[in-house]
Amino acid sequence: EPEVTQTPSHQVTQMGQEVILRCVPISNHLYFYWYRQILGQKVEFLVSFYNNEISEKSEIFDDQFSVERPDGSNFTLKIRSTKLEDSAMYFCASTLSGSPYNEQFFGPGTRLTVL
Amino acid sequence: AQSVSQHNHHVILSEAASLELGCNYSYGGTVNLFWYVQYPGQHLQLLLKYFSGDPLVKGIKGFEAEFIKSKFSFNLRKPSVQWSDTAEYFCAVNTQAAGNKLTFGGGTRVLVKP
């Protein structure tokens, strides 16, 4: 069964450093998402991406964040200058289409720890 | 904007007991409702979903959920749990107006004792 994969599973970084979280969505899916879950808090939507453009982004997704699909398979989330409060589990998801009726398939997550 | 509440943060029960997890949402319009499960060390996976029609929805692994529009609720149930149901359960919604992004509840950790 096709799966969304994410690398690395755990990333530790120093405050102010740049990190890139990688995701490989399911191959025929067209819509991609990043969510995050700070420890003890809800899973929160960050951004959705379609046709090489951001479709929607939340208030959390400020100028420190960026997404791209550099090579037709990977979908990346970059945080330019990490802050302590960026420590969270980051989930990638993908769907076949942009319909709200479609199931979103999630990856296993990357745990980001900012020291 | 929509929001989702799950009132039980932790539930502990024994095998064969019945499970009911509460989920309430706030939104004035039409919503689509989902329950996701995350088993230890695994990714979020869909248990069941409701868009329209019969408000009693059956999902995988013997789970079901009932949409009660008047109560803005979508509670998850399983008549007899197994140790393998130990997991975290998340209720989520999206709306036609807000596109396909999911808004999640806080999750409920369920521990089933053998």
Side-chain angles (χ1 to χ4, degrees):
Chain A
E1 186 177 322
E3 288 186 338
V4 176
T5 59
Q6 290 184 243
T7 53
S9 56
H10 193 180
Q11 173 91 46
V12 181
T13 190
Q14 296 290 326
M15 191 168 56
Q17 295 296 304
E18 174 183 286
V19 293
I20 298 177
L21 310 183
R22 290 182 168 79
C23 168
V24 178
I26 293 172
S27 62
N28 63 337
H29 284 188
L30 300 176
Y31 284 77
F32 315 114
Y33 312 83
W34 284 101
Y35 293 82
R36 78 171 185 190
Q37 185 180 26
I38 295 170
L39 190 64
Q41 297 186 24
K42 294 183 178 183
V43 176
E44 304 170 286
F45 168 78
L46 291 179
V47 66
S48 59
F49 189 85
Y50 168 71
N51 200 26
N52 281 320
E53 288 184 349
I54 290 174
S55 306
E56 187 176 358
K57 59 184 181 179
S58 71
E59 293 175 355
I60 303 165
F61 195 88
D62 61 21
D63 292 344
Q64 292 299 312
F65 291 90
S66 62
V67 288
E68 66 173 356
R69 190 160 159 79
D71 57 14
S73 62
N74 287 283
F75 177 52
T76 62
L77 174 69
K78 182 193 291 186
I79 309 174
R80 286 190 186 80
S81 178
T82 49
K83 308 184 188 86
L84 295 176
E85 54 264 37
D86 294 327
S87 293
M89 182 73 93
Y90 288 81
F91 295 103
C92 173
S94 69
T95 57
L96 190 58
S97 79
S99 166
Y101 306 120
N102 278 149
E103 175 183 353
Q104 292 189 19
F105 290 82
F106 284 82
T110 293
R111 183 168 297 283
L112 176 65
T113 302
V114 183
L115 301 176
Chain B
Q2 62 269 31
S3 66
V4 181
S5 297
Q6 292 180 244
H7 305 295
N8 307 104
H9 299 294
H10 291 90
V11 171
I12 302 173
L13 58 169
S14 300
E15 276 192 313
S18 65
L19 173 69
E20 179 160 0
L21 303 182
C23 171
N24 288 92
Y25 67 92
S26 70
Y27 184 70
T30 303
V31 294
N32 304 309
L33 297 146
F34 306 81
W35 275 98
Y36 279 83
V37 61
Q38 187 174 28
Y39 297 104
Q42 297 189 27
H43 55 274
L44 284 159
Q45 47 187 291
L46 185 68
L47 268 181
L48 47 78
K49 58 189 176 184
Y50 173 79
F51 303 140
S52 63
D54 188 345
L56 185 61
V57 180
K58 294 196 185 298
I60 60 171
K61 302 178 191 263
F63 285 91
E64 64 180 30
E66 185 176 12
F67 171 54
I68 302 179
K69 189 174 181 180
S70 60
K71 294 184 178 181
F72 298 89
S73 70
F74 189 56
N75 292 353
L76 181 71
R77 298 194 291 252
K78 185 168 183 178
S80 176
V81 294
Q82 301 171 312
W83 175 78
S84 57
D85 293 320
T86 293
E88 189 160 15
Y89 294 81
F90 295 90
C91 182
V93 304
N94 65 19
T95 71
Q96 200 74 37
N100 46 16
K101 68 180 182 193
L102 290 170
T103 300
F104 284 86
T108 299
R109 288 188 184 273
V110 174
L111 173 63
V112 180
K113 294 183 173 180

